[in-house]
């Protein structure tokens, strides 16, 4: 057990836990981007989504599904951004899979998730076809 989130799961460091079950835990982010900013994690430590077994992924999504309306309603949000930073290059700092539920409000000054990547690439149809085929072949 090494991540700070595993220490929260073990009760070794405090957190504002808002939901827990056999497989998952949800707690308030310590540095909230908005009131109600919540993190949902698997109890077990997996670094990336790619590492999460299918049964745990199912439970993780069930908790996200339960928490999104609860979080939005609790802070009277208009919407929410729900996202994973999946890997260091994508901005993941804690190497224990976590879903951010960030409540959003009309006129809050934030942007859509389209703003997270760098300059958008210009791809020809044949390149798009090749990428789509490659992804399909790996599923
Ligand atoms: P990420 O950049 O996706 O890895 O996000 C990590 C998140 O964990 C950040 O939003 C931090 O504010 C949050 N965080 C770090 N330590 C704690 C903690 N002890 N309790 C709650 N949230 C934390």
């Amino acid at each position: 057990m090494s991540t700070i989130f595993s220490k929260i799961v073990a009760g070794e460091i405090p957190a504002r836990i808002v939901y827990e079950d056999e497989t998952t835990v949800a707690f308030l982010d310590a540095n909230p981007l908005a009131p109600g900013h919540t993190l949902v994690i698997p109890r077990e430590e997996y670094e990336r989504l790619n590492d999460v077994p299918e049964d745990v992924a199912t439970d993780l999504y069930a908790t996200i599904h339960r928490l999104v309306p609860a979080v939005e309603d609790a802070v009277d949000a208009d919407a929410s951004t729900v996202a994973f930073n999946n890997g260091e290059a994508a901005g993941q700092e804690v190497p224990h899979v976590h879903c951010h539920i960030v409540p959003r409000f009309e006129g809050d000054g934030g942007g859509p998730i389209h703003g997270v990547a760098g300059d958008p690439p210009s791809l020809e149809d044949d390149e798009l076809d090749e990428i789509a085929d490659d992804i399909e072949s790996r599923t």
Side-chain angles (χ1 to χ4, degrees), residues 4-5 8 13-15 27-32 37 39 85 91-94 98 100:
I4 192 149
F5 293 167
I8 288 174
I13 62 167
F27 51 90
L28 293 189
D29 194 293
N31 305 288
H37 182 174
L39 302 176
N85 291 323
Q92 183 178 358
E93 290 181 355
V94 178
H98 50 284
H100 292 263

Side-chain angles (χ1 to χ4, degrees), residues 42-58:
R43 283 183 183 277
E44 291 284 325
E45 202 172 286
Y46 304 102
E47 185 167 341
R48 294 183 52 178
L49 279 173
N50 317 37
D51 307 318
V52 176
E54 201 167 328
D55 57 333
V56 177
T58 301

